[in-house]
Every structure is written in structure tokens, then in C-alpha cells.
Amino acid sequence: MNIKSNTMKKLGERNYFLMLDAIKTTGSFDPKEIFFYFEENLHIEESIIIRNFLTWVHENNRGFGHCNFESVFQEFLNKE
């Protein structure tokens, strides 16, 4: 899926909090370790982009928290 063509412009607090428990439980942003914790609660159109976002965060040794999750998500969306 092309990130630019996706209509998702913000991660949103709902999605952040869905991921938060999995991140806290495992201590990881790696979607291979955490995605199954919350994927059934995601909207279908968001699932691929959020998995790609978490992959990008993990592969680039990034992280995010409550204060910066939207700015990190915007950085991901704007990457080339």
C-alpha cells in the first residue's frame, strides 16, 4: 500500500492507546512481537499503515510516547 495514497493523516489517540499496552508488555515497537495484541481492534483501512509505521519505528530505532506520537507518525508519512 502506498502511504501517500492512504487517507489516514493522523495516528489518533485511539490507535495510540491500542498499541500502548502491547508496547508496555513487550518493551518493543517491533510489529512481529506486538501486532497480534491489538490488530483485531484496528479498522481494516488502518491496519496496513499502522503495521508499516511500527516497522519503520523499529527499523530506525525510533520510539514515541504520548507527547510525540503524532509528530513521529507525521515524520513516517513524510519520509521519502
Side-chain angles (χ1 to χ4, degrees):
M1 171 180 272
N2 183 351
I3 293 169
K4 301 292 184 191
S5 69
N6 193 293
T7 59
M8 190 173 171
K9 304 294 183 206
K10 291 182 130 187
L11 185 58
E13 283 200 11
R14 176 189 174 277
N15 292 327
Y16 169 72
F17 284 113
L18 285 174
M19 293 184 285
L20 185 60
D21 283 337
I23 293 166
K24 285 181 176 181
T25 299
T26 64
S28 175
F29 291 93
D30 186 352
K32 292 176 188 168
E33 294 181 30
I34 66 172
F35 204 67
F36 70 92
Y37 281 99
F38 57 88
E39 70 181 314
E40 290 184 4
N41 294 308
L42 295 173
H43 298 288
I44 293 169
E45 63 275 4
E46 297 171 336
S47 181
I48 294 170
I49 193 110
I50 289 174
R51 186 174 185 92
N52 289 343
F53 169 62
L54 289 169
T55 299
W56 176 82
V57 167
H58 177 70
E59 289 176 351
N60 290 285
N61 295 317
R62 298 296 310 268
F64 56 87
H66 192 265
C67 293
N68 72 340
F69 69 90
E70 288 296 0
S71 63
V72 174
F73 187 69
Q74 290 305 309
E75 186 180 337
F76 162 72
L77 290 177
N78 293 325
K79 71 178 179 52
E80 300 212 335

